[in-house]
């Protein structure tokens, strides 16, 4: 066990593919971080969407052999769970203050400081993408790049606010009931994955439904409340100078939000990939669609798949080491307009 005046970490054994769980005490409570890989490698930080954790949000991507070989060869992965979203989490005490989105972004800084990390690569999905983007805006020197899936950047629209209020009330009175799960599955997946009267629900949706049963409703409400009170960060996006790769499913309810975000980022640093026949959670629904764009994206940092790179990288990620021509979307093999990709069933 390691201790400091602000943080404490406890290993509790193998949790995920040999990863170790560390419970990091921060100013806004304890955060669970699953660390997988050689900690001398560059760091990849992940942050999931509402009511999810690394098992339900990133498992599909990391179980994809090609993507796993690319990411796990080059990075030590730090899966950060929103407070109370980790495996086996107990209900958070009602007397504990509810953190804001900015508080959650500040927690990431405390996690990075605890592990002694410098500039990191970040990967987030929807609500998690918002938290990581906010973190990158507040601490630009600590973020080497952003990989964002169905990201948010504006304050909630009236319809989203109403949707969130309905879900929050259902969680309060009925817990993680069937109606809440349906709302969440609509948030995550395309119609094809969710199924209908003619098409059975897919294995992905069924697995997600089972994992949602493990969530504590009060903990989900707290994260939902933080996201529901998020400020609009669109005006500050131009100040971000880290390279950003955005994925969005064409059936995602946050499609227009992702397009808006890409339009407000510096076009010399951002590329947008549209994935056809896919919902918000591209990491689970169509992880193969992420492989080639990520491969070109990471080439700008001198990171390759094992077949092209025999030694594990051990130098920290540093945008200053990247030549200017590698900072353009064209050099990533991506066009400035959305790329439509389709993965056969």
């Amino acid at each position: 066990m390691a201790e400091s005046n602000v943080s404490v970490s406890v290993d509790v054994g193998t949790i995920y593919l040999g990863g170790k769980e560390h419970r990091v005490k921060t100013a806004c409570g304890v955060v669970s971080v699953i660390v997988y890989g050689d900690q001398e490698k560059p760091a990849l930080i992940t942050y999931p969407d509402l009511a999810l954790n690394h098992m339900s949000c990133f498992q599909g991507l990391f179980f994809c052999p090609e993507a796993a070989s690319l990411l796990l060869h080059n990075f030590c992965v730090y899966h950060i769970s929103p407070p109370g979203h980790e495996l086996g989490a107990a209900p958070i005490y009602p007397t504990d203050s509810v953190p804001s989105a900015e508080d959650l972004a500040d927690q990431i800084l405390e996690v990075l400081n605890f592990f002694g990390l410098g500039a990191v690569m970040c990967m987030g999905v929807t609500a998690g993408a918002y938290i990581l983007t906010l973190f990158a805006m507040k601490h630009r020197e600590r973020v080497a790049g952003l990989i964002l899936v169905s990201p948010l950047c504006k304050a909630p629209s009236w319809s989203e606010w109403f949707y969130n209020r309905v879900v929050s009330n259902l969680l309060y009175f009925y817990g993680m009931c069937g109606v809440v799960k349906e709302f969440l599955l609509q948030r995550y997946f395309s119609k094809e994955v969710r199924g209908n009267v003619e098409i059975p629900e897919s294995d992905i949706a069924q697995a997600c439904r089972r994992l949602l049963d493990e969530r504590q409703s009060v903990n989900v409400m707290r994260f939902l409340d933080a996201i529901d009170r998020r400020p609009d960060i669109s005006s500050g996006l131009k100040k971000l100078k880290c390279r950003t790769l955005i994925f969005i499913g064409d059936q995602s309810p946050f499609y227009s939000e992702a397009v808006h975000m890409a339009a407000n980022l510096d076009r010399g640093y951002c590329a947008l990939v549209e994935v056809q026949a896919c919902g918000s959670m591209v990491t689970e629904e169509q992880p193969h669609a992420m492989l080639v764009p990520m491969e070109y994206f990471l080439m700008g940092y001198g990171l390759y798949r094992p077949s092209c790179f025999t030694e594990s990288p051990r130098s920290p990620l540093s945008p200053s080491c990247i030549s200017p021509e590698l900072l353009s979307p064209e050099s990533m093999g991506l066009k400035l307009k959305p790329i439509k990709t389709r993965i056969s069933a």
Side-chain angles (χ1 to χ4, degrees):
M1 180 165 62
E3 296 184 0
S4 70
N5 59 343
V6 295
S7 308
V8 60
S9 170
V10 181
D11 284 347
V12 297
T14 299
I15 299 294
Y16 171 64
L17 290 177
K20 289 282 189 178
E21 182 186 40
H22 298 256
R23 298 185 63 79
V24 181
K25 186 177 181 182
T26 71
C28 292
V30 177
V31 177
S32 171
V33 184
I34 306 294
V35 181
Y36 179 74
D38 182 352
Q39 291 184 251
E40 292 188 32
K41 290 182 179 181
L44 171 64
I45 303 297
T46 74
Y47 209 103
D49 192 17
L50 176 71
L52 303 175
N53 55 36
H54 70 285
M55 288 293 290
S56 46
C57 195
F58 298 103
Q59 182 172 262
L61 178 64
F62 282 89
F63 275 17
C64 174
E66 297 87 353
S69 67
L70 174 67
L71 297 174
L72 299 180
H73 174 76
N74 288 295
F75 295 101
C76 179
V77 181
Y78 297 77
H79 292 295
I80 302 177
S81 291
H85 282 53
E86 66 272 15
L87 296 171
I92 298 175
Y93 290 115
T95 53
D96 291 355
S97 60
V98 178
S100 64
E102 190 161 337
D103 292 331
L104 296 177
D106 290 338
Q107 276 189 332
I108 296 173
L109 179 63
E110 294 187 71
V111 169
L112 266 57
N113 289 341
F114 175 79
F115 288 106
L117 302 176
V120 300
M121 186 68 66
C122 296
M123 179 186 293
V125 177
T126 312
Y130 177 90
I131 299 299
L132 291 176
T133 303
L134 182 59
F135 170 72
M137 293 173 66
K138 296 184 67 177
H139 306 283
R140 283 178 285 177
E141 74 285 356
R142 304 299 291 270
V143 177
L146 291 168
I147 301 173
L148 307 176
V149 181
S150 306
L152 307 173
C153 66
K154 296 189 289 185
S157 63
W158 183 90
S159 58
E160 185 192 345
W161 175 87
F162 180 76
Y163 165 95
N164 290 344
R165 289 302 90 203
V166 171
V167 172
S168 183
N169 286 330
L170 287 170
L171 285 167
Y172 181 81
F173 289 107
Y174 302 105
M176 187 59 73
C177 61
V179 178
V180 171
K181 291 178 192 174
E182 290 302 326
F183 273 123
L184 292 173
L185 291 178
Q186 289 176 22
R187 177 188 178 97
Y188 306 147
F189 299 119
S190 65
K191 295 177 181 178
E192 289 82 359
V193 169
R194 299 197 311 270
N196 52 44
V197 292
E198 297 178 353
I199 303 173
E201 189 175 68
S202 71
D203 292 342
I204 297 174
Q206 290 178 19
C208 185
R209 190 184 294 275
R210 288 192 296 270
L211 288 169
L212 287 174
D213 282 329
E214 301 174 7
R215 298 286 77 77
Q216 299 287 347
S217 57
V218 63
N219 300 354
V220 177
M221 286 172 56
R222 290 166 62 89
F223 190 23
L224 178 59
D225 184 66
I227 295 303
D228 205 34
R229 293 183 287 118
R230 69 182 187 271
D232 190 324
I233 58 174
S234 302
S235 61
L237 293 175
K238 290 289 186 187
K239 298 177 183 178
L240 275 180
K241 298 303 179 184
C242 64
R243 298 168 71 235
T244 303
L245 178 60
I246 298 176
F247 293 93
I248 183 66
D250 65 353
Q251 294 186 27
S252 169
F254 306 107
Y255 178 88
S256 61
E257 186 109 359
V259 173
H260 171 82
M261 182 173 185
N264 280 272
L265 285 163
D266 189 322
R267 291 174 68 88
Y269 292 85
C270 172
L272 173 68
V273 179
E274 179 186 321
V275 183
Q276 289 189 340
C278 189
S280 298
M281 200 155 42
V282 185
T283 50
E284 291 295 315
E285 192 168 342
Q286 292 199 27
H288 287 88
M290 300 178 64
L291 177 63
V292 172
M294 282 198 307
E295 197 161 8
Y296 279 107
F297 180 76
L298 294 177
M299 281 180 186
Y301 298 89
L303 302 176
Y304 301 87
R305 290 176 64 186
S307 58
C308 304
F309 200 90
T310 55
E311 297 295 329
S312 298
R314 296 187 180 273
S315 60
L317 292 169
S318 174
S320 63
C321 298
I322 306 169
S323 57
E325 61 270 17
L326 289 177
L327 292 173
S328 67
E330 290 85 350
S331 70
M332 291 187 250
L334 304 173
K335 299 178 182 178
L336 286 172
K337 63 182 181 180
I339 296 176
K340 299 195 176 203
T341 62
R342 183 178 293 278
I343 303 300
S344 57

